[in-house]
Each structure stands twice: as structure tokens, then as C-alpha cells.
Amino acid sequence: MPVRRPALIPALCAALVLTCTAVSAQDKPAAPLYTVQEGYKVDAETMKGFRAWRAAACDRCHGANQEGMVGPSLVNSLKTLTKAEFITTVTSGRLDKGMQSFGNSPVVMDNINQLYAYLKGRSDGAITRAKVEEIK
């Protein structure tokens, strides 16, 4: 005669739900870092990054096309720099190399993720020109 274990059924159901939830969370695609059309039309968040770039006058050191002047080329640097390294550099600066800190700049710090997205898009070659427009 088979042994019935009714207390085991709720535990098995809970385990099944947890397994399905975990699989579902893994299958959810991550949001893209940026969206670009025609090489210069970007999503609203990436546009905020471009505006932060302009407002902070980053072009005075890194050039209007992010290809470097007194400061290094960000098009090249962001090919290897991680997002965490980028944020640390912007937040703390690199005084030994002439990079000022933007940690007290609301326009930069409130848009640091968007600024990274814009510059990463330039570095990846997805954004083909420095001046961008918002996708309508």
C-alpha cells in the first residue's frame, strides 16, 4: 500500500514556483544601454547624457568628438574602461593627470548613467557623430 505524504505537496509546489520564477528572471532580457537610429538619433536617456556632456564642457579636454585633446580619447578609453571605473574617474577625478572631479556637479552626477551610455555608444561606434538628436 503506497504511503501518502500530504505535507510534502505544498513544499513541492513552493519549490516549483521558485524554480519557475528563477528561470523567468534569467530569461528577461536586460534593457539596452542605449538606442540609436541612423547613427545620431538616440533615446531620451542617452540624450540626457549628451546634454550632461555639453553642460559640463567635457569637450574642452576630451575634444568635441571625444577623440582626445589635453585629455585622452574617450572613444578609445571606453573600449576597455568598465562602467565602475568610469564612474570612479568622473566622481573622484584624476588630479595627477589633470582630470578634475565632477563629484560635486549635479548636472554630471544626476546623469552619470546616461553620460556613460552616450560615451559608450560613441566608443562602440553605434553613435557615429558627437552631436546627437532625440528619437521622436
Side-chain angles (χ1 to χ4, degrees):
M1 178 172 202
V3 178
R4 300 187 77 187
R5 298 184 180 175
L8 193 57
I9 292 173
L12 288 173
C13 289
L16 181 61
V17 168
L18 288 174
T19 301
C20 291
T21 302
V23 169
S24 177
Q26 290 174 354
D27 292 342
K28 185 179 177 183
L33 184 58
Y34 51 78
T35 301
V36 183
Q37 295 176 352
E38 301 173 36
Y40 68 96
K41 295 179 180 175
V42 298
D43 62 279
E45 292 300 304
T46 304
M47 191 69 197
K48 289 179 185 176
F50 170 72
R51 289 185 180 122
W53 164 268
R54 297 288 299 259
C58 302
D59 60 318
R60 285 191 279 174
C61 293
H62 296 285
N65 296 314
Q66 297 88 32
E67 295 173 339
M69 285 180 35
V70 176
S73 165
L74 297 178
V75 171
N76 292 334
S77 294
L78 269 75
K79 291 185 185 314
T80 57
L81 204 63
T82 66
K83 184 177 180 181
E85 292 168 333
F86 170 79
I87 290 173
T88 298
T89 300
V90 172
T91 303
S92 303
R94 285 186 169 170
L95 295 178
D96 60 323
K97 295 184 177 184
M99 169 77 179
Q100 74 177 66
S101 166
F102 287 90
N104 292 326
S105 170
V107 72
V108 172
M109 296 314 297
D110 291 350
N111 296 290
I112 192 76
N113 292 321
Q114 294 88 344
L115 179 59
Y116 177 77
Y118 167 68
L119 293 172
K120 188 66 177 157
R122 289 282 297 141
S123 178
D124 291 347
I127 300 173
T128 57
R129 68 181 199 192
K131 186 174 181 183
V132 293
E133 297 174 13
E134 187 172 337
I135 297 171
K136 302 287 181 194

